[in-house]
Structure formats: structure tokens, C-alpha cells
């Protein structure tokens, strides 16, 4: 039976690349994001190159019921999800009190709640069938607190801890869960976060979304627990674990603060 990959945030950046990689590997796709026209364009581009079935689902993951409704649509289409790619996410580049409360709550809903709900809903049948792969998209932000992006960094801390815990719970089940931790990557992320002029996006040349997604895909297939993209990000993750927090927060603040 043909395998299916469900990818959230497939309308741009890493999610779009995950869609191409899965199609290249012969997997049928369920593409989820809000911008339906981008998903439809992607689906028709992929179909010109690969013979795969694609279901496009336009959903706003900041709506608490979206994951359940996605699950119902997928189940009623007779689709069994073998690969769950929890990729959708966004950040806000601003000091906490100057950032909109509703946007912060929506971020928690998209970056954390939707990821928990989709993993719970689709994880059940994976465990029952004793096969499946889950990929969570964390960040180097998963390893540290992030002044001026406080909710975002905290949400990615959650993602990593959640993934590492489930990998232990699911040992010997045939199902694995991998957390991909990219550093700054060439996508629409910084634009969407209102950080196009920040130091983060200018520190060094950014890797392409294709390279990072490919790295994450391979790590997921191998069933790795954590996959930090790139040596510089691996060093950053290592030093963030041994650096006293009062120094770490100052270093991160220097990077996340908007350049004037
Ligand atoms: N780029 C980086 O530097 C970087 C570094 C580390 C981690 N990450 C993580 O990588 C993941 C992918 O981001 P990206 O870099 O590829 O950025 P991106 O190009 O801005 O893509 C974000 C994706 O998330 C979707 N999304 C955002 N809000 C949504 C909502 N309410 N409902 C449904 N989908 C929503 C967007 O689709 P719609 O707008 O169409 O809904 C889009 O497809 C995120 O989890 C991000 O935190 C990125």
C-alpha cells in the first residue's frame, strides 16, 4: 500500500521542501497550511514530476479544533499517515510586552498545541501498526532562552523536550520521533516574524531550505532523536548547555534585537 506523509506548513520554506523530498521518495502527500492557492500550486508542480496522490487541506492551525478536523478529513479519505511532519511554525521578533498578546497565544497554538494534538491523533495508529516516523521541527532556539523572541524560543524548548521524551516512551514500538533543530535558514521565517533587518538573518550566509529539509528527512528515516543542522549550530547548542544562563541570555539578546 502506498505510504502517506502529512506535512504541516507546506506552503513555503522547509515544509515545501519536505513535500518535494517525500514525493521524490514515492510517498503520497497531505499538505496542510492556510494559503490554499500556494498548496494547490505546489501540488500541481509536484504532480508534473512525480506520480503521487496529493490531498490539499487548508487549515489555520491556530484554531484549536483544526488538528481534530484534519484528522477526520484524512481518516474519512481512507488515508493512513506513515510520516507526520510537524513543521508549521512562526516567531515574533519583538520584546514580549510590545508584541501582541493574541499573536503570542496563536504561536503557542501553532508551535506547540497543534504539534501535540496531531502527534496524539496520528501516533495512535502508528503505534498500533508498529511502524511510523514523526518529525518535529525545533530550532537551535530549542537549547536556550531567547529575549526579544521569548515565546518563540520557549515554544521550541518545548518541542525538543517533548520529542526527546516520546522517543524514550516509544522505544521498541517501531515508531520513532525526531526533532530537527535548524539554525537560521533561507525561508520566509524572518519576514513573517517582522525580523527582516535583524542580526540573526545577517550573521552569515544562510543554508537553503532544501539542504536543511534533506538533512532532517534523512535523520527522521534513521530514527535519530535530535538532528542539529550544521557544525556552527551544533557548537552553539553545545555551548548553550555549558554557558551560565546570565551570560547566555545576554548573548542571545544581542543577536535577536532588531538592528536599527
Ligand atoms: N527559517 C529559519 O531560520 C528557521 C530556523 C529554525 C526553525 N525554523 C522552524 O521551521 C519551521 C518552518 O518555518 P520556515 O522557516 O519554513 O518558515 P516559513 O517559510 O515562514 O514557513 C512557515 C510555514 O508555517 C505555516 N504556518 C504558519 N502559521 C500557520 C497557521 N496558523 N496555520 C497553518 N500553517 C501555518 C505557513 O503556512 P501559511 O502561512 O500558508 O499558513 C508556512 O507554510 C517553523 O517551525 C520554524 O519555527 C525555521
Amino acid at each position: 500500500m502506498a505510504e502517506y506523509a502529512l506535512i504541516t506548513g507546506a506552503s513555503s520554506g522547509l515544509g515545501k521542501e519536505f513535500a518535494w523530498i517525500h514525493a521524490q521518495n514515492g510517498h503520497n502527500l497531505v499538505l496542510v497550511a492556510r494559503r490554499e492557492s500556494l498548496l494547490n500550486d505546489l501540488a500541481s508542480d509536484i504532480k508534473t514530476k512525480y506520480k503521487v496522490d496529493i490531498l490539499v487541506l487548508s487549515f489555520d492551525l491556530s484554531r484549536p479544533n483544526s488538528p481534530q478536523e484534519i484528522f477526520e478529513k484524512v481518516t474519512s479519505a481512507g488515508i493512513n499517515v506513515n510520516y507526520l511532519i510537524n513543521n508549521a511554525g512562526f516567531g515574533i521578533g519583538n520584546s514580549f510586552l510590545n508584541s501582541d498578546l493574541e499573536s503570542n497565544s496563536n504561536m503557542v497554538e501553532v508551535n506547540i498545541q497543534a504539534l501535540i494534538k496531531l502527534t496524539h491523533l496520528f501516533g495512535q495508529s502508528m503505534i498500533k501498526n508498529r511502524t511510523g516516523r514523526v518529525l518535529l521541527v525545533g530550532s537551535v532556539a530549542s537549547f536556550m532562552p531567547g529575549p526579544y523572541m521569548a515565546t518563540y524560543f520557549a515554544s521550541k524548548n518545548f518541542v525538543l523536550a517533548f520529542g526527546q521524551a516520546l522517543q524514550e516512551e516509544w522505544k521498541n514500538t517501531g515508531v520513532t520521533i525526531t526533532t530537527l533543530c535548524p539554525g537560521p535558514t533561507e525561508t520566509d521565517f524572518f519576514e513573517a516574524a517582522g525580523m527582516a533587518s535583524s542580526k540573526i538573518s545577517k550573521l552569515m550566509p544562510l543554508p537553503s531550505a532544501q539542504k536543511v529539509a534533506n538533512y532532517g528527512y534523512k535523520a527522521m528515516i534513521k530514527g535519530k532523536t535530535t538532528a542539529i543542522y550544521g557544525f556552527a549550530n551544533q557548537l552553539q547548542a553545545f555551548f548553550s548547555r555549558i554557558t551560565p544562563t546570565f551570560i547566555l541570555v545576554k548573548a542571545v539578546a544581542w543577536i535577536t534585537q532588531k538592528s536599527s
Side-chain angles (χ1 to χ4, degrees):
M1 210 165 80
E3 294 190 312
Y4 269 88
L6 186 152
I7 301 160
T8 66
S11 60
S12 74
L14 290 169
K16 190 172 172 178
E17 296 304 329
F18 283 127
W20 278 106
I21 295 165
H22 276 279
Q24 196 182 357
N25 284 281
H27 305 155
N28 297 318
L29 302 171
V30 180
L31 304 178
V32 180
R34 288 167 302 182
R35 291 171 292 176
E36 192 169 15
S37 61
L38 291 184
L39 294 179
N40 284 330
D41 291 349
L42 176 63
S44 49
D45 286 351
I46 289 176
K47 279 182 174 174
T48 60
K49 230 175 149 198
Y50 301 107
K51 224 177 151 224
V52 291
D53 285 334
I54 304 180
L55 175 65
V56 164
L57 296 178
S58 169
F59 273 93
D60 182 348
L61 291 172
S62 71
R63 280 184 48 243
N65 283 341
S66 288
Q68 179 66 36
E69 291 167 19
I70 290 168
F71 179 71
E72 283 163 15
K73 288 230 180 231
V74 167
T75 310
S76 66
I79 290 171
N80 179 50
V81 170
N82 311 85
Y83 304 89
L84 172 63
I85 316 299
N86 279 303
N87 162 75
F90 71 97
I92 305 169
N94 208 341
S95 60
F96 177 62
L97 292 180
N98 281 330
S99 63
D100 179 53
L101 175 57
E102 194 184 350
S103 304
N104 277 275
S105 300
N106 287 345
M107 195 199 302
V108 171
E109 200 64 49
V110 176
N111 295 11
I112 298 180
Q113 291 279 29
L115 174 143
I116 295 178
K117 291 173 189 174
L118 290 169
T119 304
H120 199 273
L121 289 162
F122 289 104
Q124 306 281 357
S125 61
M126 288 184 182
I127 296 288
K128 195 167 138 234
N129 298 334
R130 298 195 66 78
T131 177
R133 290 280 181 271
V134 178
L135 183 70
L136 310 179
V137 179
S139 169
V140 278
S142 299
F143 297 92
M144 56 197 87
Y148 306 101
M149 288 188 87
T151 306
Y152 178 73
F153 274 61
S155 75
K156 293 299 179 180
N157 275 244
F158 174 91
V159 171
L160 178 61
F162 178 72
Q164 288 171 330
L166 289 197
Q167 180 81 321
E168 175 62 21
E169 283 189 26
W170 290 353
K171 65 175 187 258
N172 308 323
T173 63
V175 183
T176 61
I177 181 162
T178 300
T179 308
L180 169 65
C181 297
T185 304
E186 210 181 336
T187 69
D188 295 341
F189 177 85
F190 292 104
E191 193 73 46
M195 297 179 73
S197 65
S198 72
K199 294 186 191 93
I200 283 190
S201 59
K202 290 179 181 153
L203 276 181
M204 53 188 137
L206 304 186
S208 70
Q210 189 188 26
K211 275 191 184 158
V212 176
N214 211 25
Y215 178 80
Y217 177 83
K218 285 185 184 152
M220 175 191 74
I221 295 298
K222 284 183 190 154
K224 286 191 168 187
T225 304
T226 314
I228 306 170
Y229 179 85
F231 184 60
N233 296 319
Q234 288 164 10
L235 271 186
Q236 222 182 314
F238 172 75
F239 281 110
S240 68
R241 284 176 166 140
I242 59 168
T243 305
T245 308
F246 77 96
I247 297 173
L248 188 61
V249 285
K250 288 196 189 309
V252 180
W254 182 80
I255 295 170
T256 48
Q257 256 175 323
K258 279 185 207 172
S259 8
S260 48

